[in-house]
């Protein structure tokens, strides 16, 4: 007969046995059993034995002190099973570029809220390895996530006692996101509709659907449902770093994966304007449905960097403001709001997990729109 939650049971030989965890050495759990003739006696012995073990020297419970670096390597190896390759590389880069120099040699059981807070302050004064600018708040928050996850992993492994992480986070900076004016959008659309080459089609699809560049490059003609007038988004492509066992970058490669989130897998209705553009391009190119829509000279899927490069050449040629390709997604969202589309519908078209993301990041009210909205007060 066992007593629930106590690991105490009666053996076939009539004795009572209490089993408990004596120690954990890395991934190995060490158990010990205590025996007595009665339940009450074995429970009392168990209580005394646990008290005794608490006061044992640390070297008996754990054969060595563990450094942050060792725990991080265990955590990232575990995490690799659940995240995309690009995310895995992102965490590795954050660790190697910013965390390692500060916490690599720190013993995991000696970390505290004060030490982590001091680390954050140090990070806020560091510069980005590539841009040479101060680290953005989003980068710092990603770094903090890696640090916190490593500490939580150590707690789950019983390397350290649980403690509540209570730290001050950096505030978000206001993002200066560019959006095409209606006049600039008209100039761009007129040029691309007349030219209608590969980059022109990419620009027009993004202006009329808000697709991310990775989703755009992963599109095949079979993802265009001309009958029901839908674009089916179920893949994305991105260039990721490939690393060897020692975490050294060996090369980069294009990788096709599922979209960013579950909500990013979606069907986007095709407007009548975009339908006509797609039909014209499809019939002109005369290619089969299993081909990628955007291809390079070899007929393979085009690199997103190629789209970005050709886009820069296009906007320079037609003399509109300098923006990156992603700004077309911002422009699409802004026009949708200006024309009265409800935010919930827009959020689903953009593939966001919640409406707040749509409102805070992608919807930008133009000065003209603000004036019109304020004029509504004149109707009172």
């Amino acid at each position: 007969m066992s007593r629930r939650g106590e690991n105490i049971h009666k053996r076939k030989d009539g004795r009572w046995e209490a089993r408990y965890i004596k120690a954990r050495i890395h991934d190995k759990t060490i158990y010990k059993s205590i025996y007595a003739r009665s339940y009450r006696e074995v429970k009392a012995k168990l209580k005394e034995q646990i008290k005794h073990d608490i006061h044992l020297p640390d070297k008996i419970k754990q054969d060595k002190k563990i450094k942050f670096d060792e725990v991080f390597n265990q955590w990232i190896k575990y995490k690799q099973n659940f995240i995309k390759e690009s995310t895995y590389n992102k965490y590795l880069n954050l660790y190697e570029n910013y965390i390692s120099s500060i916490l690599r040699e720190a013993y995991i059981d000696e970390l505290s809220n004060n030490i982590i807070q001091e680390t954050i302050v140090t990070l806020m004064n560091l510069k980005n390895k590539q841009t040479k600018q101060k680290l953005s708040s989003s980068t710092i928050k990603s770094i903090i996530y890696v640090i916190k996850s490593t500490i939580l992993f150590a707690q789950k492994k019983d390397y350290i006692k649980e403690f509540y992480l209570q730290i001050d986070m950096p505030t978000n900076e206001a993002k200066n996101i560019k959006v095409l004016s209606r006049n600039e959008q008209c100039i761009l659309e007129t040029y691309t509709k007349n030219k209608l080459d590969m980059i022109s089609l990419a620009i027009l699809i993004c202006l009329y659907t808000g697709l991310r560049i990775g989703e755009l490059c992963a599109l095949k003609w079979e993802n265009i449902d001309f009958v029901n007038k839908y674009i089916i988004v179920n893949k994305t492509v991105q260039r990721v770093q490939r690393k060897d066992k020692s975490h050294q970058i060996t090369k980069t490669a294009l990788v096709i994966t599922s979209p960013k989130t579950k909500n990013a897998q979606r069907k986007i209705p095709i407007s009548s304007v975009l339908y006509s553009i797609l039909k014209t391009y499809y019939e002109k190119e005369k290619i089969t449905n299993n081909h990628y829509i955007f291809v390079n000279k070899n007929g393979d899927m085009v690199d997103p960097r190629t789209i970005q490069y050709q886009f820069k050449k296009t906007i320079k040629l037609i003399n509109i403001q300098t923006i990156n390709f992603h700004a077309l997604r911002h422009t699409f969202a802004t026009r949708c709001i200006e024309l009265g589309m409800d935010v919930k519908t827009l959020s689903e078209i953009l593939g966001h997990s919640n409406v707040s993301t749509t409102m805070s990041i992608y919807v930008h009210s133009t000065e003209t729109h603000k004036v019109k909205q304020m004029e509504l007060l004149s109707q009172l």
Side-chain angles (χ1 to χ4, degrees), residues 143-157:
I143 293 170
I144 293 170
Y145 169 79
V146 172
I147 294 172
K148 289 177 72 173
S149 297
T150 302
I151 292 172
L152 289 172
F153 184 81
Q155 291 176 1
K156 289 178 182 177
K157 286 286 189 179

Side-chain angles (χ1 to χ4, degrees), residues 343-356:
V343 180
K344 176 62 177 172
T345 298
L346 177 59
S347 182
E348 291 179 2
I349 289 172
L350 290 171
H352 289 157
S353 55
N354 56 66
V355 173
S356 62

Side-chain angles (χ1 to χ4, degrees), residues 311-329:
F311 175 68
K312 284 183 180 180
K313 287 177 63 177
T314 300
I315 60 173
K316 186 176 181 180
L317 183 67
I318 62 176
N319 196 29
I320 61 174
Q321 67 167 306
T322 302
I323 57 172
N324 58 31
F325 192 86
H326 195 73
L328 298 179
R329 178 170 163 88

Side-chain angles (χ1 to χ4, degrees), residues 168-273:
D168 294 324
M169 303 285 277
T171 55
N172 291 324
E173 316 100 337
K175 291 185 177 180
N176 182 24
I177 298 173
K178 293 183 179 180
V179 176
L180 291 177
S181 67
R182 290 201 178 197
N183 183 55
E184 288 172 323
Q185 183 172 345
C186 182
I187 293 170
L188 181 59
E189 283 194 42
T190 301
Y191 176 82
T192 50
K193 284 176 182 176
N194 289 330
K195 194 172 180 65
L196 204 55
D197 55 0
M198 185 184 75
I199 184 59
S200 297
L201 182 65
I203 291 168
L204 289 166
I205 290 178
C206 194
L207 280 173
Y208 280 92
T209 64
L211 283 180
R212 301 176 179 93
I213 192 168
E215 296 169 339
L216 199 68
C217 292
L219 280 180
K220 290 185 174 181
W221 283 109
E222 63 189 22
N223 298 127
I224 310 294
D225 186 340
F226 284 109
V227 177
N228 298 302
K229 296 185 178 180
Y230 277 106
I231 293 178
I232 300 164
V233 182
N234 55 20
K235 292 285 186 298
T236 188
V237 62
Q238 57 190 149
R239 183 166 288 281
V240 300
Q241 297 171 338
R242 289 289 167 87
K243 301 193 177 188
D244 57 25
K245 291 181 180 179
S246 60
H247 298 163
Q248 296 299 310
I249 298 173
T250 55
K251 59 181 179 178
T252 64
L254 287 177
V255 176
I256 299 173
T257 64
S258 56
K260 199 172 181 181
T261 63
K262 287 183 179 179
N263 297 74
Q265 297 191 41
R266 60 204 189 276
K267 291 198 304 183
I268 301 176
I270 301 173
S271 66
S272 56
V273 176

Side-chain angles (χ1 to χ4, degrees), residues 114-148:
N114 284 338
I115 293 174
I116 302 302
Q117 191 67 67
E118 288 172 6
T119 300
I120 293 169
V121 172
T122 301
L123 291 169
M124 291 173 70
N125 293 307
L126 287 180
K127 291 186 177 180
N128 187 291
K129 296 284 186 179
Q130 294 179 330
T131 65
K132 307 304 179 184
Q133 302 294 319
K134 276 194 173 183
L135 296 180
S136 66
S137 59
S138 61
T139 298
I140 293 175
K141 285 180 180 179
S142 295
I143 293 170
I144 293 170
Y145 169 79
V146 172
I147 294 172
K148 289 177 72 173

Side-chain angles (χ1 to χ4, degrees), residues 7-32:
N7 270 342
I8 299 175
H9 69 278
K10 192 172 185 179
R11 293 164 52 91
K12 291 181 180 180
D13 61 7
R15 293 184 300 165
W16 285 83
E17 178 184 359
R19 196 163 183 258
Y20 73 103
I21 297 173
K22 182 179 177 64
R24 284 189 173 92
I25 302 176
H26 300 304
D27 291 330
K28 188 176 181 181
T29 303
I30 309 299
Y31 291 93
K32 185 176 179 179

